[in-house]
Amino acid sequence: VANDGRFVFVPGPNDPGIAGALPRGPIPNYFTSSLRSRVKHAILASNPCRMRFFTKEIVFFRDDLVGKMRRHCLLEPREVEEVEDDNDVDDDGDRKASEDVDASSSSGTRRLSRHAIKTVLDQGHLSPLPLSASPVYWQYDHALRLYPFPDALIVGDRVDQYYENYEECDAINPGPFSNGFNFVVYRPIGEILRKSQTKSDVEFSQIE
């Protein structure tokens, strides 16, 4: 694997190097010389980075996306179904019983993740926040743009794993590998449909 495999390393917020502004360059060679001597095809990419798999464009981005969005939102996102449930009462006039704490927490995280992805894609930018919250190098701002939409957006976020398909763009978060050794197998072309159309395949896995 070390001799024939291709490994792409995208720097995150806590990796060494010039941090604090986006986009950020690769991890400096000083910290990766030992790794590169052992892994023949190690690619030290920027954050974000873009790859092309035949006709598919894939964007990789590592950041605390959901956390930043949550800290700077004015109103917490709510689904239409949730609003309807809040207004729904039974025959006795009592509100419906709420779900248990774990299920509610999981649903809330999923809701926040969905809205964060929708915001990023609708804005066409990986950092749709004020410069005081997320500084940007203006001369490289084009590297953060998402228009037109890529075929897949892989987000290295700190929250649990999630998958969303928004406007034919696969948004995937593998989740923290250190928390349960989670990872994702993504096949950009998992199935060939009619009229030369393709369908991707996403598989969430865990090392036990």
Side-chain angles (χ1 to χ4, degrees), residues 18-72:
I18 301 177
L22 294 171
R24 62 169 297 179
I27 300 175
N29 293 334
Y30 174 80
F31 299 98
T32 60
S33 57
S34 177
L35 173 67
R36 288 183 286 108
S37 65
R38 291 173 171 79
V39 181
K40 183 177 180 181
H41 300 288
I43 302 173
L44 302 174
S46 61
N47 183 27
C49 76
R50 299 171 186 264
M51 297 183 187
R52 183 167 292 276
F53 183 81
F54 293 95
T55 60
K56 303 292 185 178
E57 183 184 15
I58 307 173
V59 176
F60 293 84
F61 180 56
R62 290 188 62 190
D63 199 12
D64 184 16
L65 185 62
V66 173
K68 285 184 177 180
M69 293 288 185
R70 188 172 187 177
R71 286 194 297 269
H72 294 89

Side-chain angles (χ1 to χ4, degrees), residues 11-15 19 24 61-68 71 109 113 154-162 172-180 182:
N14 297 326
D15 287 324
R24 62 169 297 179
F61 180 56
R62 290 188 62 190
D63 199 12
D64 184 16
L65 185 62
V66 173
K68 285 184 177 180
R71 286 194 297 269
T109 302
S113 302
I154 313 298
V155 181
D157 209 336
R158 296 179 179 177
V159 297
D160 294 336
Q161 295 177 327
Y162 63 79
I172 307 168
N173 174 38
F177 184 74
S178 59
N179 184 16
N182 303 313

